[in-house]
Amino acid sequence: MKLQFSLKYFLISIFIFLIEVLIATKLKDVFFVRAYLGDVIVVILLYTLVKSFFRVNNEKLIGGILIFSCIVEFAQYFNIAEKLGFRQGSLMYIVIGNSFSWIDILCYAAGSLLIYLFVKMTENKTTPANS
């Protein structure tokens, strides 16, 4: 891992973050988008955010983000946000979450798979063919 700023990934991160804010505020009543799509997108946001500041192995980063996401989800089972003293409705309470769901873990896995497939497809396009 090497510290290296990427304006491209940073701008993508800002765009994805704005999508997440839109989902949390304006689309909060659209069940599929709020319950599932937001969780798929959040792992993509974490990926682009890390890539904004670090040069890191893609596979390790994707795996690390999936593991991190699962740890946060399992922490929700133990009401970690409340135990850390965050008030219900506060920003950190919302970010950490408050209810465990196996479906959320499936959404994180789906997001990780999408990133992996995208990375592999773009690597193949940028790698010269062996002739």
Side-chain angles (χ1 to χ4, degrees), residues 19-53:
I19 290 172
E20 287 284 15
V21 169
L22 179 69
I23 289 171
T25 57
K26 302 295 182 190
L27 300 174
K28 63 184 175 197
D29 297 326
V30 180
F31 181 75
F32 176 81
V33 173
R34 178 75 171 118
Y36 304 123
L37 193 57
D39 288 338
V40 171
I41 294 172
V42 77
V43 295
I44 299 170
L45 173 60
L46 291 172
Y47 175 84
T48 59
L49 194 59
V50 171
K51 294 288 280 186
S52 296
F53 299 101

Coordinates of all heavy atoms in Angstrom, one line a residue, residues 19-53:
I19 N -25.0 10.2 -4.1 CA -26.1 9.2 -4.4 C -26.6 8.6 -3.1 O -27.8 8.5 -2.9 CB -25.6 8.2 -5.4 CG1 -25.4 8.8 -6.8 CG2 -26.6 7.0 -5.5 CD1 -24.7 7.8 -7.8
E20 N -25.7 8.3 -2.2 CA -26.1 7.7 -0.9 C -26.9 8.7 -0.1 O -27.9 8.3 0.6 CB -24.8 7.3 -0.1 CG -24.1 6.0 -0.7 CD -24.9 4.7 -0.3 OE1 -26.1 4.8 0.1 OE2 -24.3 3.7 -0.5
V21 N -26.5 10.0 -0.1 CA -27.3 11.0 0.6 C -28.7 11.1 0.0 O -29.7 11.2 0.7 CB -26.5 12.3 0.6 CG1 -27.5 13.5 1.1 CG2 -25.3 12.3 1.4
L22 N -28.8 11.0 -1.3 CA -30.0 11.1 -2.0 C -30.9 9.9 -1.6 O -32.1 10.1 -1.3 CB -29.8 11.1 -3.5 CG -31.1 11.1 -4.4 CD1 -31.8 12.5 -4.3 CD2 -30.7 10.8 -5.9
I23 N -30.3 8.7 -1.6 CA -31.1 7.5 -1.2 C -31.6 7.7 0.3 O -32.7 7.4 0.6 CB -30.2 6.3 -1.3 CG1 -30.0 5.9 -2.8 CG2 -30.8 5.1 -0.6 CD1 -28.9 4.8 -3.0
A24 N -30.7 8.2 1.2 CA -31.1 8.3 2.6 C -32.1 9.4 2.8 O -32.8 9.3 3.8 CB -29.8 8.6 3.4
T25 N -32.2 10.4 2.0 CA -33.1 11.5 2.2 C -34.3 11.5 1.3 O -35.4 11.4 1.8 CB -32.3 12.9 2.1 OG1 -31.8 12.9 0.8 CG2 -31.2 13.0 3.1
K26 N -34.1 11.5 0.1 CA -35.2 11.6 -0.9 C -35.9 10.3 -1.3 O -37.0 10.2 -1.6 CB -34.8 12.4 -2.1 CG -34.2 13.8 -1.9 CD -35.3 14.7 -1.3 CE -34.7 16.1 -1.1 NZ -35.6 16.9 -0.3
L27 N -35.1 9.2 -1.2 CA -35.6 7.9 -1.7 C -35.8 7.0 -0.5 O -35.9 5.8 -0.7 CB -34.6 7.3 -2.7 CG -34.4 8.1 -4.0 CD1 -33.3 7.5 -4.9 CD2 -35.7 8.3 -4.7
K28 N -35.8 7.5 0.7 CA -35.9 6.7 1.9 C -37.2 5.8 2.0 O -37.2 4.8 2.6 CB -35.8 7.5 3.2 CG -36.9 8.5 3.4 CD -36.6 9.4 4.6 CE -37.7 10.4 4.6 NZ -37.3 11.5 5.5
D29 N -38.2 6.2 1.2 CA -39.5 5.5 1.2 C -39.6 4.5 0.1 O -40.5 3.7 0.1 CB -40.7 6.5 1.1 CG -40.7 7.4 2.4 OD1 -40.4 6.9 3.5 OD2 -41.1 8.6 2.2
V30 N -38.6 4.4 -0.8 CA -38.5 3.4 -1.8 C -37.8 2.2 -1.3 O -36.5 2.2 -1.2 CB -37.8 4.0 -3.1 CG1 -37.8 2.9 -4.2 CG2 -38.5 5.3 -3.6
F31 N -38.5 1.2 -0.8 CA -37.9 0.1 0.0 C -36.7 -0.5 -0.7 O -35.7 -0.7 0.0 CB -39.0 -0.9 0.3 CG -38.5 -2.1 1.1 CD1 -38.3 -1.9 2.5 CD2 -38.2 -3.3 0.5 CE1 -37.7 -2.9 3.2 CE2 -37.7 -4.3 1.3 CZ -37.4 -4.1 2.6
F32 N -36.8 -1.0 -1.9 CA -35.7 -1.7 -2.6 C -34.5 -0.8 -2.6 O -33.4 -1.3 -2.3 CB -36.1 -2.1 -4.0 CG -35.0 -2.8 -4.7 CD1 -34.7 -4.1 -4.5 CD2 -34.2 -2.1 -5.6 CE1 -33.6 -4.7 -5.1 CE2 -33.1 -2.7 -6.2 CZ -32.8 -4.0 -6.0
V33 N -34.6 0.4 -3.0 CA -33.5 1.3 -3.1 C -32.8 1.5 -1.7 O -31.6 1.4 -1.5 CB -33.9 2.7 -3.7 CG1 -32.7 3.7 -3.7 CG2 -34.4 2.5 -5.1
R34 N -33.7 1.9 -0.7 CA -33.1 2.1 0.7 C -32.6 0.9 1.3 O -31.5 0.9 1.9 CB -34.3 2.7 1.5 CG -33.9 3.0 2.9 CD -33.0 4.3 3.0 NE -32.8 4.7 4.4 CZ -31.6 4.7 5.0 NH1 -30.6 4.4 4.3 NH2 -31.5 5.1 6.2
A35 N -33.3 -0.2 1.2 CA -32.9 -1.4 1.9 C -31.8 -2.2 1.3 O -31.0 -2.8 2.0 CB -34.1 -2.3 2.1
Y36 N -31.7 -2.2 0.0 CA -30.8 -3.1 -0.7 C -29.7 -2.3 -1.5 O -28.5 -2.5 -1.4 CB -31.5 -4.1 -1.6 CG -32.5 -4.9 -0.9 CD1 -33.8 -4.9 -1.3 CD2 -32.2 -5.7 0.2 CE1 -34.8 -5.7 -0.6 CE2 -33.1 -6.4 0.9 CZ -34.4 -6.4 0.5 OH -35.3 -7.1 1.2
L37 N -30.2 -1.5 -2.4 CA -29.3 -0.8 -3.3 C -28.3 0.1 -2.6 O -27.1 0.1 -2.9 CB -30.1 0.1 -4.3 CG -29.3 0.6 -5.5 CD1 -28.6 -0.5 -6.3 CD2 -30.2 1.4 -6.4
G38 N -28.7 0.7 -1.5 CA -27.8 1.6 -0.7 C -26.6 0.7 -0.1 O -25.5 1.2 -0.1
D39 N -26.9 -0.5 0.3 CA -25.9 -1.4 0.9 C -24.9 -1.9 -0.2 O -23.8 -2.1 0.0 CB -26.5 -2.5 1.6 CG -27.2 -2.1 2.9 OD1 -26.8 -1.1 3.4 OD2 -28.0 -2.8 3.4
V40 N -25.5 -2.1 -1.4 CA -24.6 -2.5 -2.5 C -23.6 -1.3 -2.9 O -22.4 -1.5 -3.0 CB -25.4 -2.9 -3.8 CG1 -24.5 -3.1 -5.0 CG2 -26.2 -4.2 -3.5
I41 N -24.2 -0.1 -2.9 CA -23.4 1.0 -3.3 C -22.4 1.4 -2.3 O -21.3 1.9 -2.6 CB -24.4 2.2 -3.7 CG1 -25.2 1.9 -4.9 CG2 -23.6 3.5 -3.9 CD1 -26.3 2.9 -5.2
V42 N -22.7 1.2 -1.0 CA -21.8 1.7 0.1 C -20.4 1.0 0.0 O -19.4 1.6 0.2 CB -22.4 1.6 1.5 CG1 -22.4 0.1 2.0 CG2 -21.7 2.5 2.4
V43 N -20.4 -0.3 -0.4 CA -19.1 -0.9 -0.6 C -18.3 -0.4 -1.7 O -17.1 -0.3 -1.7 CB -19.1 -2.5 -0.6 CG1 -19.7 -3.1 0.6 CG2 -20.0 -2.9 -1.8
I44 N -19.0 0.1 -2.8 CA -18.3 0.7 -3.9 C -17.8 2.1 -3.5 O -16.7 2.4 -3.8 CB -19.3 0.9 -5.1 CG1 -19.8 -0.5 -5.5 CG2 -18.7 1.6 -6.2 CD1 -21.0 -0.5 -6.5
L45 N -18.5 2.8 -2.6 CA -18.1 4.1 -2.1 C -16.8 3.8 -1.3 O -15.8 4.6 -1.4 CB -19.1 4.7 -1.2 CG -18.7 5.9 -0.4 CD1 -18.3 7.1 -1.4 CD2 -19.9 6.4 0.4
L46 N -16.8 2.8 -0.4 CA -15.6 2.6 0.4 C -14.4 2.3 -0.5 O -13.3 2.7 -0.3 CB -15.8 1.4 1.4 CG -16.8 1.7 2.5 CD1 -17.1 0.4 3.3 CD2 -16.3 2.8 3.4
Y47 N -14.6 1.5 -1.6 CA -13.5 1.1 -2.5 C -13.0 2.4 -3.2 O -11.7 2.6 -3.2 CB -14.1 0.2 -3.6 CG -13.1 -0.1 -4.7 CD1 -12.1 -1.1 -4.5 CD2 -13.1 0.5 -5.9 CE1 -11.2 -1.4 -5.5 CE2 -12.2 0.3 -6.9 CZ -11.2 -0.7 -6.7 OH -10.3 -1.0 -7.6
T48 N -13.8 3.2 -3.7 CA -13.3 4.4 -4.4 C -12.7 5.4 -3.4 O -11.7 6.1 -3.8 CB -14.5 5.1 -5.2 OG1 -15.5 5.5 -4.3 CG2 -15.0 4.2 -6.3
L49 N -13.2 5.5 -2.2 CA -12.6 6.4 -1.2 C -11.2 5.9 -0.8 O -10.3 6.8 -0.8 CB -13.5 6.4 0.1 CG -13.2 7.5 1.0 CD1 -13.4 8.9 0.4 CD2 -14.2 7.4 2.2
V50 N -11.0 4.7 -0.6 CA -9.6 4.2 -0.3 C -8.7 4.4 -1.5 O -7.6 4.9 -1.4 CB -9.6 2.7 0.1 CG1 -8.2 2.1 0.2 CG2 -10.4 2.5 1.4
K51 N -9.2 4.1 -2.7 CA -8.4 4.3 -4.0 C -8.1 5.8 -4.2 O -7.2 6.1 -4.9 CB -9.1 3.7 -5.2 CG -9.3 2.2 -5.1 CD -8.0 1.5 -5.4 CE -7.7 1.4 -6.8 NZ -6.5 0.6 -7.1
S52 N -8.9 6.7 -3.6 CA -8.6 8.1 -3.7 C -7.3 8.5 -3.1 O -6.6 9.5 -3.5 CB -9.7 8.9 -3.0 OG -10.9 8.7 -3.7
F53 N -6.9 7.8 -2.0 CA -5.7 8.1 -1.3 C -4.6 7.1 -1.2 O -3.5 7.4 -0.8 CB -6.1 8.5 0.2 CG -7.1 9.6 0.2 CD1 -8.5 9.4 0.4 CD2 -6.7 10.9 0.1 CE1 -9.4 10.4 0.4 CE2 -7.6 12.0 0.1 CZ -8.9 11.7 0.3

